Amino acid sequence: MQDYQSSVYVWGSTASGALGCPDCKVANFSKVQLVPKRLAECCSNRFSGSAIQVVAGGGNGAVATVVTDKWEAYSWGNVDNGKQNSRRGVIIPPAKKKSLCQIRKVQLQDVTNIAQGHGCTTCATNLNGELYGWGDNTHSNLGVLGNSSSSKQRSLPTMKRKFIANPRKIDNCSKVKAAACGEKHTLILQQNGVLLTMGANDAGQLGIGSGQQWQKEKSKGFHIVQTIRRGPEIIDYVPFKEIACGSNHCAAISSQDGSIYTWGWGKNGRLGHGNETLYNRPTYVETLSESEPFATVACGLAHTLVATVDGGDVYGFGWNAHGQVICNTDDEDSTSSNDCLLPVPCLKTKGVIKLSCSGFHSAALTLSGHLYMWGMNEDGQCGAGHEGTILSPSKVDFHDTGQYVVSVSCGHSQTVCILSNYLPLEAMDLQQRLQKYPTAARILIRFARFVIFQTRLLRHKQSLNTNKSESHTIEDSPPKESTEKELSLDESSSLSSHSSWSDDPYNLNASLQPKNDELFQRLIEMQKMNDEDHRSSAHMSHLRALRQRALEAEHKAMEKLKCRSECKNMRVEDALSKKLRAHTKSQKELKRTIMRKKKAATGRDARTNDQIQKAANRLKMARERREQHAKGKVALPPVRKPTKKKQHTSKKCEALQAVANNEQQSAAERARLERRQKLVRRRESRLKVQEVAEKEAMEKRQRDMKAKEELEQLMKQQRQMKLQEDRKKADDAKKIQLIKKSMELQRLEHELKLNKQSQLRNDDKENDYMSKI
């Protein structure tokens, strides 16, 4: 198997020594570095081993720390605008000797993990699960501290000290798995999933509920998170597997079902609950229930990012003024409009396994070793080669170095990452194995040194015996003592340069010399171990081929999905065109019906007017005939006979009365006709109003039907897209699970073979020993 090799790359602002040593002639010193560049040789040469983890932080300054595979930590940079020895800003332990190089070794042994937050506090864990802290302790965010790791430091109680210069052990914390630092608080995750908190609780960031409980447990130095909130219920205990701290909010992932919990200050929607409320207990994020389970989480100054297990999709929520969550508005000046109160998708189908956030930019590391970054880029901290804001995830180009990104961390205005010849999962597996078996490599090297030493000693003795046989000496003389130069190992060999050669805790260099058979047996065992290493390298190459095939299958699936989506879009367009034609046809029919009704109404109005006009003409003619008749009767000559005269006068009165009655009837007729005309006009106006209302109601119904059809179409499209996404996620999850299962089976088979071979070797050794006895 290929040896693990790595190199550190940095980019962004060079202020406060954030990118290493500025005095080195190799590095082109400037205020900003827009593209990733390797750490200066004068800095990287100080590392005793290969880097496996990197973290960056330091509040308003710039500090970075690297952990090597020999469990040593090295830091550079400072805070508070370059005030290296300020009382409240230093989080790098001071070096023993002054040097031009910025790199300093942390005075702590067996360091496995480093946590640097948004404040001026740093925590570190070692192989024994112990926790150490240094930096700002103003709010007791380092709890109750023990003695310093250096014997020269005074063992004074440090509970009330506001600044810790050197790493000191945090008491009452054992079996620590990881730690996370905020601005004024600290989270501690134990190996059994229990969550401990320390520091200030002004925004509920400790997650322990009311202030009474905080005052009750304040004397312990830390607080145990015992209850969480899941909907309306309060659950007593939930184990966690990963934690993250923002400025004054926290997030954690459950190890049971992979659900996400957030608590603390809720301004800008950084908790993902759809509001800006303060939560003083870990609260389940219901808005992300459909995307569970989650693999990793990271918190920025006021925003949060999470990545799923299936597919590695990234979701973000919180403050988005500089696009550090995702691009959702073009106005970058107004911060209130840029708040993401609900989770939004940031990066999909990339297989993200690690996340990192600063206050203003974010980073995501994929399964294939690629790095994506977005957010503020004023100092080139996104590595895009310019100083413009990155509003969507952009892949960082390392100019075909042939290596993969295995660790990344975002600082205040800089970014630090580690490139290696291993893929991220391989590097994580190597780190876990080194943590699980920290002394195995040292034991193997000591045993190899012993075998080489004994082999050279045997050859030296054989040469002495041959010299004696040639000189035909009979007297037994004591053998000539071997010089140190003859028996010493080659300085150029990789074994002689190892630091563990100087001691021999297992008493391998005993005074009793083994026999030749035993020595050859051990040499044969060493050859077998070499063969096993070759087989393991073949196994890893097989795993790489499987991963390559999986990536090709994923690419083909993406192309197939793209073709399907295009076909679906064509079908949707055809259906929409059909509906549009049907809609235009219905509109034309509606216009024709309206025209027919209008013509019918105008015909009725014309007929009514004709009837009224005819009736008026008839009345006029009747009145004229009556007047002419009345005039004719009045003009008759009078009768001279008295008797007839009286009769004539009576007839005259009757005629006058009839004329008067006719005039009254004609007046009544006129009034009746006028009333009828008024009624007709009123009826016409009512008909017109009713027609307009019917027309408006018809148009409204048409608009409602059209809107309803469009809404149904959109809902149908969304349902279909969701179904396709769910199917795709399920398929991807199945593929990933199959790959993981196959890899796990192959790994188990390989381990079983190794265990069997080691057991057989041990049995052979015991049998040989028993036979000798």
Side-chain angles (χ1 to χ4, degrees):
M1 185 176 180
Q2 192 177 7
D3 294 333
Y4 178 82
Q5 298 176 358
S6 64
S7 55
V8 181
Y9 280 73
V10 293
W11 62 94
S13 174
T14 60
S16 304
L19 306 186
C21 180
D23 298 330
C24 183
K25 295 181 180 180
V26 177
N28 295 325
F29 178 70
S30 61
K31 292 184 179 180
V32 294
Q33 187 167 298
L34 302 179
V35 295
K37 289 187 179 180
R38 194 168 181 175
L39 193 66
E41 290 183 1
C42 64
C43 299
S44 59
N45 290 337
R46 298 173 68 92
F47 296 163
S48 63
S50 300
I52 57 175
Q53 184 197 4
V54 64
V55 291
N60 294 328
V63 177
T65 306
V66 167
V67 180
T68 65
D69 56 356
K70 293 188 178 179
W71 309 123
E72 295 180 350
Y74 298 83
S75 298
W76 67 88
N78 47 43
V79 296
D80 289 345
N81 298 324
K83 295 180 181 179
Q84 189 84 13
N85 296 320
S86 63
R87 181 167 179 79
R88 297 180 53 133
V90 179
I91 68 173
I92 303 176
K96 293 182 179 180
K97 297 181 180 180
K98 292 185 179 180
S99 175
L100 293 176
C101 187
Q102 293 277 347
I103 299 293
R104 299 176 182 179
K105 182 180 178 181
V106 178
Q107 301 301 317
L108 192 63
Q109 296 180 355
D110 297 333
V111 180
T112 57
N113 287 297
I114 294 284
Q116 291 179 353
H118 301 278
C120 299
T121 306
T122 304
C123 290
T125 58
N126 61 5
L127 291 172
N128 297 325
E130 298 173 345
L131 184 65
Y132 290 79
W134 64 91
D136 187 14
N137 193 30
T138 306
H139 304 278
S140 299
N141 42 341
L142 293 177
V144 178
L145 299 176
N147 295 334
S148 172
S149 61
S150 176
S151 60
K152 296 182 181 179
Q153 293 289 333
R154 293 176 296 173
S155 59
L156 296 176
T158 55
M159 179 66 182
K160 297 181 180 180
R161 294 184 61 179
K162 294 184 178 181
F163 174 75
I164 310 301
N166 286 330
R168 288 181 179 268
K169 182 181 177 182
I170 298 177
D171 295 335
N172 302 325
C173 290
S174 60
K175 296 181 180 180
V176 177
K177 180 182 178 181
C181 299
E183 185 176 1
K184 297 184 290 185
H185 68 290
T186 305
L187 294 187
I188 304 169
L189 180 63
Q190 293 183 330
Q191 295 175 2
N192 57 0
V194 176
L195 186 60
L196 310 177
T197 57
M198 301 184 298
N201 195 32
D202 52 351
Q205 60 265 49
L206 298 187
I208 56 175
S210 61
Q212 296 179 357
Q213 184 73 13
W214 180 58
Q215 293 294 336
K216 184 179 179 181
E217 298 180 354
K218 190 175 181 180
S219 59
K220 298 180 182 179
F222 61 86
H223 315 276
I224 302 175
V225 179
Q226 298 179 350
T227 58
I228 67 168
R229 186 180 296 277
R230 192 180 179 102
E233 300 178 356
I234 294 180
I235 305 173
D236 291 336
Y237 170 71
V238 168
F240 297 101
K241 67 177 181 179
E242 189 164 344
I243 56 175
C245 280
S247 176
N248 46 22
H249 75 286
C250 306
I253 298 177
S254 171
S255 60
Q256 292 179 345
D257 54 356
S259 56
I260 185 75
Y261 294 85
T262 57
W263 65 96
W265 187 248
K267 186 67 175 176
N268 308 112
R270 67 191 72 180
L271 302 182
H273 299 300
N275 53 37
E276 298 184 42
T277 308
L278 183 147
Y279 290 82
N280 55 13
R281 293 184 188 276
T283 305
Y284 174 65
V285 182
E286 296 181 355
T287 53
L288 288 172
S289 59
E290 296 181 357
S291 303
E292 294 175 356
F294 293 97
T296 183
V297 63
C299 293
L301 189 69
H303 73 286
T304 308
L305 297 180
V306 291
T308 61
V309 174
D310 301 330
D313 299 337
V314 180
Y315 295 88
F317 43 89
W319 187 43
N320 192 31
H322 302 280
Q324 60 266 41
V325 176
I326 198 63
C327 178
N328 61 354
T329 180
D330 295 330
D331 187 9
E332 296 183 6
D333 295 329
S334 62
T335 58
S336 60
S337 62
N338 291 324
D339 295 341
C340 297
L341 300 180
L342 292 173
V344 294
C346 305
L347 192 61
K348 285 196 172 186
T349 65
K350 296 295 182 181
V352 175
I353 57 174
K354 284 185 180 180
L355 294 168
S356 180
C357 297
S358 74
F360 311 102
H361 69 291
S362 306
L365 176 60
T366 64
L367 188 67
S368 57
H370 298 305
L371 181 61
Y372 290 85
M373 301 193 70
W374 62 98
M376 180 185 279
N377 194 33
E378 290 181 358
D379 297 322
Q381 56 263 49
C382 289
H386 57 83
E387 297 180 70
T389 302
I390 308 298
L391 297 177
S392 61
S394 175
K395 184 179 177 181
V396 180
D397 187 12
F398 292 92
H399 304 291
D400 297 329
T401 57
Q403 293 181 326
Y404 309 97
V405 181
V406 296
S407 180
V408 64
S409 183
C410 297
H412 181 266
S413 58
Q414 88 279 14
T415 307
V416 187
C417 76
I418 297 175
L419 268 70
S420 171
N421 56 343
Y422 279 32
L423 287 169
L425 288 181
E426 295 175 354
M428 292 168 65
D429 184 63
L430 175 65
Q431 187 176 0
Q432 291 175 1
R433 287 177 180 273
L434 291 175
Q435 289 180 7
K436 191 174 182 181
Y437 307 104
T439 59
R442 299 178 185 177
I443 294 170
L444 287 174
I445 290 173
R446 289 169 186 166
F447 179 72
R449 180 186 182 277
F450 169 72
V451 171
I452 295 170
F453 180 81
Q454 295 295 337
T455 305
R456 292 189 177 183
L457 182 62
L458 180 61
R459 288 178 180 175
H460 183 68
K461 286 186 177 182
Q462 288 177 356
S463 64
L464 289 176
N465 291 332
T466 54
N467 292 330
K468 285 180 182 179
S469 62
E470 289 176 358
S471 61
H472 301 285
T473 57
I474 300 174
E475 296 180 357
D476 295 327
S477 60
K480 188 177 180 181
E481 293 183 358
S482 300
T483 61
E484 184 180 358
K485 186 176 181 180
E486 290 174 345
L487 297 178
S488 62
L489 297 174
D490 188 9
E491 295 295 334
S492 62
S493 63
S494 61
L495 293 174
S496 61
S497 62
H498 200 274
S499 62
S500 63
W501 282 31
S502 59
D503 53 354
D504 192 9
Y506 296 95
N507 197 17
L508 295 175
N509 297 328
S511 60
L512 297 176
Q513 302 298 331
K515 294 183 180 180
N516 295 338
D517 296 337
E518 185 178 355
L519 182 60
F520 292 148
Q521 187 66 26
R522 289 187 178 180
L523 290 174
I524 291 169
E525 289 177 359
M526 291 294 293
Q527 184 64 30
K528 288 182 179 178
M529 292 173 67
N530 193 11
D531 295 339
E532 289 176 2
D533 291 337
H534 285 298
R535 283 195 293 272
S536 63
S537 63
H539 175 67
M540 291 307 297
S541 63
H542 178 62
L543 290 179
R544 290 193 186 95
L546 285 176
R547 190 176 290 108
Q548 185 66 27
R549 287 198 293 271
L551 291 174
E552 290 177 357
E554 183 180 359
H555 182 65
K556 290 181 181 178
M558 289 293 292
E559 289 181 352
K560 191 181 290 183
L561 183 61
K562 187 176 180 180
C563 293
R564 288 179 181 174
S565 63
E566 288 178 356
C567 294
K568 180 185 174 182
N569 292 331
M570 292 175 65
R571 289 195 295 270
V572 169
E573 288 178 358
D574 293 337
L576 289 175
S577 62
K578 288 181 181 178
K579 288 189 176 181
L580 184 61
R581 288 195 296 271
H583 182 65
T584 52
K585 186 177 180 181
S586 62
Q587 281 187 344
K588 288 180 180 179
E589 291 179 355
L590 183 63
K591 286 181 180 179
R592 284 197 291 270
T593 53
I594 290 170
M595 291 297 293
R596 285 197 297 269
K597 288 183 179 180
K598 199 171 186 181
K599 288 180 180 179
T602 53
R604 287 195 300 272
D605 294 341
R607 288 193 295 273
T608 304
N609 291 329
D610 291 338
Q611 289 176 2
I612 291 169
Q613 189 67 33
K614 288 179 181 179
N617 291 332
R618 286 197 297 271
L619 288 172
K620 186 177 180 181
M621 290 173 67
R623 187 172 57 254
E624 288 177 354
R625 284 197 300 270
R626 287 195 205 97
E627 289 177 355
Q628 290 177 1
H629 183 66
K631 286 180 181 179
K633 286 183 177 182
V634 171
L636 290 175
V639 181
R640 293 181 179 180
K641 292 179 180 181
T643 56
K644 289 183 179 181
K645 189 175 181 180
K646 290 180 181 180
Q647 187 178 4
H648 179 70
T649 56
S650 62
K651 287 182 179 180
K652 185 177 180 181
C653 291
E654 289 177 358
L656 291 173
Q657 188 68 28
V659 169
N661 292 332
N662 289 332
E663 288 180 355
Q664 290 178 0
Q665 289 177 0
S666 61
E669 284 289 336
R670 284 195 301 272
R672 189 165 54 253
L673 286 173
E674 289 176 358
R675 285 196 299 273
R676 188 171 181 182
Q677 288 178 356
K678 288 181 181 180
L679 289 174
V680 169
R681 286 194 297 270
R682 198 176 298 169
R683 184 179 177 185
E684 288 177 356
S685 63
R686 281 200 301 269
L687 288 173
K688 288 181 180 179
V689 171
Q690 186 176 1
E691 189 175 341
V692 171
E694 288 179 356
K695 187 176 179 181
E696 291 179 353
M698 184 74 70
E699 291 177 354
K700 187 178 180 181
R701 283 197 297 272
Q702 289 176 358
R703 288 195 300 270
D704 293 340
M705 288 175 65
K706 186 177 179 181
K708 188 175 180 181
E709 288 177 357
E710 291 178 354
L711 183 61
E712 288 178 354
Q713 185 68 25
L714 289 174
M715 291 294 289
K716 188 175 179 181
Q717 291 178 2
Q718 289 179 357
R719 285 195 296 271
Q720 290 177 356
M721 291 174 68
K722 190 174 180 181
L723 287 172
Q724 286 183 356
E725 288 179 357
D726 294 339
R727 290 173 185 170
K728 182 184 175 184
K729 286 182 180 179
D731 294 339
D732 294 341
K734 287 180 181 178
K735 290 178 183 177
I736 293 171
Q737 287 177 359
L738 288 174
I739 293 170
K740 288 182 179 178
K741 286 180 180 179
S742 63
M743 291 172 66
E744 187 68 22
L745 288 173
Q746 291 174 1
R747 186 179 64 80
L748 290 173
E749 289 177 358
H750 182 63
E751 289 181 356
L752 287 172
K753 287 180 182 179
L754 292 177
N755 291 331
K756 286 181 181 179
Q757 291 172 1
S758 61
Q759 188 174 2
L760 289 173
R761 287 196 297 270
N762 293 330
D763 293 339
D764 294 339
K765 288 180 182 179
E766 290 178 0
N767 293 331
D768 294 339
Y769 180 73
M770 294 300 293
S771 63
K772 290 175 185 178
I773 293 172

